[in-house]
Amino acid sequence: MALRHAVLAALLDEELSGYQLAKSFGMGVANFWQALPQQVYAELSKLEGEGLIAGREVVQESRPNKRLFQVTAAGMAELERFAAADTKHAFIRDDLLVKIQAAGYVDTESLIAQLAERIAFADTKIEMFDSLLLKMRGERAEEEFLRHGERIGPYLTCLRGLEFERANRAWYERTTKILSERRAPRAER
């Protein structure tokens, strides 16, 4: 997948400015695609040049003018092509896992401290996903929204992000417990 497809998908629901799009990448989209704001702006320019999105100038009185972007018919065709193409399998690339692989040979205290940081980060992400999911479904029960919600894609990707962070958190906690127990003096076991 290229950044272009993530940008096109993010523009499906409404026109967004570059700022709004970059902000959405920092929230919901970040659970499956990372991009810096400058990368998003550069991609918007490329997509507009290729005719996959269209931008329009919005005049604002008290602020600088802004450009809003929306997906064109050509952009929808590109998303259709992308959706129909074979998907590559995902692989984990995480420096913490390399460090844990070396457990028993490296400083356990350092690993446990890094796992604690990851637990705190996962807690923050879990809270964010819970909040986004609630915002998307409003007053509806989740099962009703899943059957009848207007735009199910963002909801499903946030659900995946939530489950991913919950699984990460559970693994971090289990690994912390194992490493802590292994470093305890034998008399305490």
Side-chain angles (χ1 to χ4, degrees), residues 3 35 45 49 62 72 130 132 135 138 140 151 159 162 180 187:
L3 176 57
S45 180
S62 61
T72 63
D130 280 336
L132 283 171
K135 182 178 176 183
R140 295 188 204 183
R151 178 91 161 85
L159 274 179
L162 177 62
S180 295

Side-chain angles (χ1 to χ4, degrees), residues 35 71 74 100 181 188:
V71 178
I100 298 297
E181 288 173 353
E188 291 180 21

Side-chain angles (χ1 to χ4, degrees), residues 5 47 80 140-141:
H5 300 112
L47 291 170
E80 285 286 344
R140 295 188 204 183

Side-chain angles (χ1 to χ4, degrees), residues 61-110:
E61 290 183 29
S62 61
R63 292 187 232 154
N65 294 346
K66 66 180 178 179
R67 286 185 59 73
L68 294 178
F69 299 93
Q70 65 182 359
V71 178
T72 63
M76 282 303 301
E78 174 59 19
L79 272 176
E80 285 286 344
R81 186 205 59 73
F82 173 72
D86 289 339
T87 302
K88 295 178 185 176
H89 294 280
F91 297 96
I92 299 172
R93 271 184 73 160
D94 186 344
D95 60 345
L96 180 60
L97 291 177
V98 175
K99 294 173 184 184
I100 298 297
Q101 176 75 18
Y105 295 93
V106 298
D107 179 25
T108 302
E109 293 299 321
S110 174

